[in-house]
């Protein structure tokens, strides 16, 4: 009886020791603030036909080469990505900086749904607010929009918010125009058919929808005056000044001043400064591979990595870009 009791006691001690060691090992897999030291790092991107997906895939490859386990997944892009970060389903996400701003401040599509713990790793490349009209329409400025039919993007979209903000800088609001809530493709068709007078398109240039219009009609890109751009940036820090180069579209022979929102790589405050800095270092010390993933990625640079940052930065990433 005594031998059996000793045997059972020994077994119990072995079970407890195994549980304790396993628990400690699991806890050591990530830091107490959620930064995964041994992965996996999940990156939310966008649709497979878009720009976020190939860029996110290149990021995952780079991080894997640098000893971090990472993978990229196709998603519904900015708004969906922020919600996935909130839920802890992913660790990194590519999003528009204006959408991140809305989330942190509980405005626009995140009204009454504030998400305050988002943190920026880096700004990537501009997604330009392009304002397109036909030369025959006689529109030279946003100030000329009053009384016109204007395509402002899909209702509730980031592009629509851009349109409202830009028009407001010129003293134009929805009561002054005939608002048309149209996607980029729908706006292109409507503009060609004379159903709208101008359209807002927020995307990396050249944009297929604008190229389509320019292939059939003589287009004009409406410029954003420098003082209006300055006022926009003062009120909405996610904007940055951009020049759309001449020749970007057929018939456009002059450079066009514009404003852009920026594609950003973000995480949450669960990612430690150490891991944030390591990720920034890995990506921006391998820019050749990152830039080869998509034409627009040619604009990614360490020098511009803090441009248009609209939310608090991960301190480790911030320190890396100061070096």
């Amino acid at each position: 009886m005594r031998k059996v009791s000793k045997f059972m006691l020994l077994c119990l001690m072995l079970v407890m020791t195994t549980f304790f060691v396993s628990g400690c090992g699991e806890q050591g897999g990530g830091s107490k603030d959620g930064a995964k030291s041994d992965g996996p790092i999940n990156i939310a991107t966008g649709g497979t036909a878009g720009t976020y997906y190939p860029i996110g895939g290149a990021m995952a490859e780079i991080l894997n080469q640098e000893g971090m386990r990472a993978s990229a997944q196709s998603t519904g892009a900015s708004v969906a990505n922020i919600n996935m970060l909130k839920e802890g389903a992913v660790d990194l996400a590519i999003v528009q900086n204006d959408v991140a701003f809305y989330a942190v401040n509980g405005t626009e599509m995140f009204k009454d749904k504030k998400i305050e713990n988002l943190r920026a790793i880096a700004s990537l490349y501009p997604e330009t607010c392009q304002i397109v009209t036909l030369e025959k329409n006689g529109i030279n400025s946003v100030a000329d929009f009053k009384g016109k039919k204007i395509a402002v993007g899909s209702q509730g979209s980031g592009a629509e918010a851009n349109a409202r903000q830009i028009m407001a800088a010129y003293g134009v609001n929805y009561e002054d125009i005939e608002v048309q809530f149209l996607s980029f493709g729908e706006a292109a068709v409507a503009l060609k058919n004379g159903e709208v007078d101008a359209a807002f398109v927020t995307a990396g240039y050249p944009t297929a929808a604008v190229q389509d219009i320019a292939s059939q009609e003589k287009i004009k890109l409406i410029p954003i005056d420098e003082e209006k751009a300055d006022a926009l940036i003062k009120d909405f820090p996610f904007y940055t000044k951009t020049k759309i180069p001449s020749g970007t579209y057929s018939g456009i022979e002059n450079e066009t001043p514009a404003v852009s929102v920026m594609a950003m790589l973000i995480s949450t405050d669960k990612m430690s400064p150490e891991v944030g800095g390591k990720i920034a270092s890995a990506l921006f010390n391998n820019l050749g591979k990152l830039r080869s993933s998509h034409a627009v990625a040619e604009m990614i640079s360490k020098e511009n990595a803090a441009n248009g940052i609209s939310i608090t930065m991960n301190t480790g990433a911030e320190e890396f870009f100061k070096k």
Side-chain angles (χ1 to χ4, degrees):
M1 187 73 174
R2 184 179 297 173
K3 288 181 179 179
V4 174
S5 297
K6 286 183 177 180
F7 177 76
M8 292 180 64
L9 180 60
L10 179 61
C11 289
L12 181 60
M13 290 176 67
L14 285 171
V15 171
M16 291 179 66
T17 302
T18 302
F19 178 80
F20 178 74
V21 172
S22 298
C24 289
E26 186 177 339
Q27 197 171 20
S31 72
K32 61 183 173 63
D33 47 11
K36 297 180 179 180
S37 59
D38 59 359
I41 295 173
N42 302 310
I43 307 170
T45 62
T48 55
T51 56
Y52 288 4
Y53 184 72
I55 292 172
M59 289 178 173
E61 288 185 30
I62 291 168
L63 296 182
N64 283 323
Q65 288 173 359
E66 295 295 317
M68 292 175 269
R69 289 191 291 141
S71 63
Q73 62 187 85
S74 174
T75 69
S78 294
V79 175
N81 290 354
I82 288 173
N83 285 322
M84 291 174 77
L85 280 172
K86 177 186 177 182
E87 294 161 4
V90 296
D91 308 285
L92 290 170
I94 304 175
V95 304
Q96 286 186 197
N97 65 345
D98 54 337
V99 178
F101 178 89
Y102 303 144
V104 168
N105 290 279
T107 58
E108 298 291 345
M109 67 285 293
F110 287 96
K111 184 173 176 60
D112 300 323
K113 295 178 284 187
K114 186 182 293 189
I115 305 172
E116 297 183 278
N117 70 330
L118 302 180
R119 297 291 182 269
I121 301 296
S123 193
L124 300 174
Y125 58 86
E127 298 188 271
T128 302
C129 303
Q130 303 165 74
I131 311 171
V132 190
T133 186
L134 303 184
E135 192 170 84
K136 64 185 180 184
N137 290 346
I139 297 174
N140 298 305
S141 167
V142 175
D144 298 332
F145 282 4
K146 292 184 177 181
K148 307 290 186 181
K149 295 178 181 178
I150 309 297
V152 297
S154 300
Q155 192 163 19
S157 67
E160 187 213 334
N162 298 147
R164 277 190 280 105
Q165 291 156 3
I166 291 169
M167 288 192 295
Y170 283 84
V172 179
N173 55 47
Y174 279 2
E175 286 70 33
D176 300 316
I177 66 172
E178 291 187 46
V179 181
Q180 306 293 312
F181 295 110
L182 302 174
S183 69
F184 299 161
E186 292 169 340
V189 173
L191 195 55
K192 287 185 293 184
N193 292 341
E195 295 166 354
V196 298
D197 300 298
F200 284 84
V201 176
T202 298
Y205 57 76
T207 305
V210 182
Q211 287 176 313
D212 178 53
I213 305 168
S215 69
Q216 300 178 46
E217 299 279 354
K218 177 68 175 175
I219 69 166
K220 181 186 294 183
L221 295 178
I222 304 298
I224 299 295
D225 302 323
E226 186 168 3
E227 63 271 20
K228 303 298 185 186
D230 289 337
L232 269 173
I233 293 168
K234 182 178 179 181
D235 291 339
F236 305 101
F238 47 76
Y239 283 111
T240 185
K241 294 179 185 178
T242 303
K243 301 280 190 182
I244 303 174
S246 61
T248 297
Y249 299 108
S250 176
I252 301 298
E253 300 176 355
N254 297 311
E255 185 178 73
T256 307
V259 293
S260 297
V261 292
M262 298 293 291
M264 290 197 306
L265 181 65
I266 71 170
S267 185
T268 69
D269 60 1
K270 293 180 180 179
M271 178 168 284
S272 72
E274 178 186 2
V275 175
K278 188 176 180 181
I279 289 170
S281 175
L283 297 179
F284 283 82
N285 285 326
N286 289 279
L287 280 175
K289 187 171 187 62
L290 200 56
R291 289 170 176 166
S292 68
S293 64
H294 193 282
V296 75
E298 288 287 340
M299 299 184 187
I300 300 174
S301 70
K302 185 176 180 180
E303 294 72 26
N304 294 325
N307 286 358
I309 292 290
S310 58
I311 60 176
T312 302
M313 283 193 79
N314 173 287
T315 55
E318 188 173 24
E319 286 300 316
F320 168 76
F321 292 117
K322 288 180 178 177
K323 295 177 183 176

